[in-house]
């Protein structure tokens, strides 16, 4: 069942969403050569505590891994796609890209968002990867309208990515969000005909999160058991927003 949120619930989700945006904004400003992904983790932890929010990822049980995730952030560098774990040993250097993915629970409602940030100067092809992934997310957001169907969102991402010669990751998906971090429906970044294709209705909130590889789509899990990376070593980008379907069209809860 896909839950639909009342206007009062959407206002609460908005507060959670804006907090996540503010945290990501401040973390992005910290990113530079020499900073560790653990520095980002500690800063995020403090911002969540100061705001009276609960970190949504920390201790979250992930069935595919069979364990609870131990950090408030996922920090996935270069060929890492998702679930990269912050570490004081992971020192960012020029030419890297770091995906920062985080979520909070505030007053019982969740916000979840991700950005991929370049460290210093990155290659032209890497800049194109980040731009195309963001454009794919914007194209998908534009489809989050009552009367459209879920596949309109999936297809918008897939088409923009493949038209630009990149590939979408198939093993990880977006999701509904509300009083739980992960609600129905699953939102693949490609049209999966085996899935249902529900009509979108007012009050639905969707966490849309394209994960795009510069090279081939295949993934591998690193020895830590969590980090998903590209098999071919190509860079990967990840952007995510929570979007409410409203009578005024798509409302992106995770940005001002
Ligand atoms: N990338 C996932 C998402 O946005 C992160 C949640 S899984 C967790 O839904 F383990 F980090 F909690
Ligand atoms: Co998400």
């Amino acid at each position: 069942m896909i839950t639909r949120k009342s206007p009062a619930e959407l206002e609460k989700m908005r507060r959670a969403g804006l907090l996540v945006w503010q945290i990501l904004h401040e973390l992005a400003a910290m990113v530079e050569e020499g900073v560790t992904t653990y520095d980002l983790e500690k800063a995020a932890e403090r911002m969540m505590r100061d705001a009276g929010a609960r970190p949504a990822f920390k201790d979250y049980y992930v069935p595919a891994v069979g364990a609870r995730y131990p950090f408030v952030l996922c920090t996935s560098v270069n060929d890492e796609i998702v679930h990269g774990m912050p570490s004081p040993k992971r020192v960012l250097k020029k030419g890297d890209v770091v995906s920062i993915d985080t979520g909070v629970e505030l007053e019982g409602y969740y916000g979840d968002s991700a950005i991929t940030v370049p460290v210093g100067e990155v290659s032209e092809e890497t800049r194109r990867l980040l731009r195309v992934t963001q454009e794919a997310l914007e194209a998908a957001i534009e489809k989050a309208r009552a009367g459209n169907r879920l596949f309109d969102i999936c297809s918008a991402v897939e088409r923009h990515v493949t038209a630009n010669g990149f590939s979408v990751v198939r093993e990880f998906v977006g999701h509904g969000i509300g009083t739980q971090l992960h609600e129905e429906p699953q939102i693949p970044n490609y049209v999966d005909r085996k899935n249902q294709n529900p009509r979108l209705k007012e009050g639905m909130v969707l966490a849309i999160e394209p994960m795009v590889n510069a090279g081939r789509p295949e993934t591998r899990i690193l020895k830590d058991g969590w980090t998903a990376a590209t098999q071919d070593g190509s860079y990967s980008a990840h952007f995510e927003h929570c979007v409410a379907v409203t009578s005024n069209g798509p409302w992106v809860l995770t940005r001002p």
Side-chain angles (χ1 to χ4, degrees), residues 163-230:
N164 282 282
F166 297 137
S167 56
V168 296
V169 171
R170 299 172 86 88
E171 291 87 345
F172 302 94
V173 297
H175 48 93
I177 183 168
T179 56
Q180 315 262 41
L181 176 61
H182 292 153
E183 298 185 357
E184 287 182 40
Q186 291 199 4
I187 310 174
N189 292 302
Y190 63 99
V191 175
D192 185 351
R193 301 262 167 219
K194 297 190 299 300
N195 280 4
Q196 302 262 76
N197 184 17
R199 205 177 277 285
L200 304 180
K201 296 185 175 148
E202 272 174 41
M204 291 181 176
V205 184
L206 308 172
I208 306 174
E209 47 182 316
M211 285 152 264
V212 176
N213 296 351
R216 294 201 44 85
E218 291 81 12
T219 65
R220 67 192 182 104
I221 301 294
L222 303 190
K223 284 196 279 289
D224 62 27
W226 280 97
T227 312
T230 63

Side-chain angles (χ1 to χ4, degrees), residues 13-235:
M13 295 198 70
R14 174 61 165 164
R15 285 198 281 279
L18 281 182
L19 175 59
V20 172
W21 177 83
Q22 198 192 330
I23 291 167
L24 287 180
H25 191 76
E26 293 195 24
L27 296 177
M30 282 177 64
V31 168
E32 60 174 329
E33 177 154 67
V35 167
T36 73
T37 52
Y38 197 70
D39 295 331
L40 301 175
E41 167 77 13
K42 284 288 144 195
E45 213 175 26
R46 180 178 44 73
M47 288 186 262
M48 290 178 195
R49 190 176 336 104
D50 290 351
R54 196 182 67 79
F57 291 4
K58 197 175 172 105
D59 299 325
Y60 187 77
Y61 184 78
V62 178
V65 180
R68 293 180 185 278
Y69 186 71
F71 297 99
V72 309
L73 296 182
C74 296
T75 51
S76 309
V77 181
N78 297 347
D79 60 322
E80 298 170 359
I81 303 165
V82 279
H83 303 158
M85 293 191 287
S87 161
K89 290 189 201 139
R90 193 72 196 236
V91 184
L92 298 174
K93 59 180 200 308
K94 286 194 187 102
D96 286 348
V97 291
V98 57
S99 148
I100 310 172
D101 184 3
T102 197
V104 301
E105 183 199 341
L106 196 62
E107 293 178 54
Y109 288 84
Y110 284 84
D112 179 10
S113 183
I115 53 174
T116 303
V117 184
V119 185
E121 183 104 338
V122 301
S123 74
E124 163 114 57
E125 183 68 347
T126 301
R127 287 203 299 277
R128 195 172 72 89
L129 175 68
L130 301 188
R131 176 172 55 77
V132 167
T133 308
Q134 269 178 289
E135 287 167 354
L137 174 56
E138 294 303 327
I141 288 169
E142 189 48 40
K143 300 292 183 187
R145 294 174 182 278
N148 281 354
R149 288 185 180 273
L150 187 65
F151 283 1
D152 295 321
I153 288 176
C154 309
S155 148
V157 174
E158 182 175 32
R159 290 175 52 181
H160 190 69
V161 169
T162 56
N164 282 282
F166 297 137
S167 56
V168 296
V169 171
R170 299 172 86 88
E171 291 87 345
F172 302 94
V173 297
H175 48 93
I177 183 168
T179 56
Q180 315 262 41
L181 176 61
H182 292 153
E183 298 185 357
E184 287 182 40
Q186 291 199 4
I187 310 174
N189 292 302
Y190 63 99
V191 175
D192 185 351
R193 301 262 167 219
K194 297 190 299 300
N195 280 4
Q196 302 262 76
N197 184 17
R199 205 177 277 285
L200 304 180
K201 296 185 175 148
E202 272 174 41
M204 291 181 176
V205 184
L206 308 172
I208 306 174
E209 47 182 316
M211 285 152 264
V212 176
N213 296 351
R216 294 201 44 85
E218 291 81 12
T219 65
R220 67 192 182 104
I221 301 294
L222 303 190
K223 284 196 279 289
D224 62 27
W226 280 97
T227 312
T230 63
Q231 254 179 44
D232 64 7
S234 66
Y235 278 20

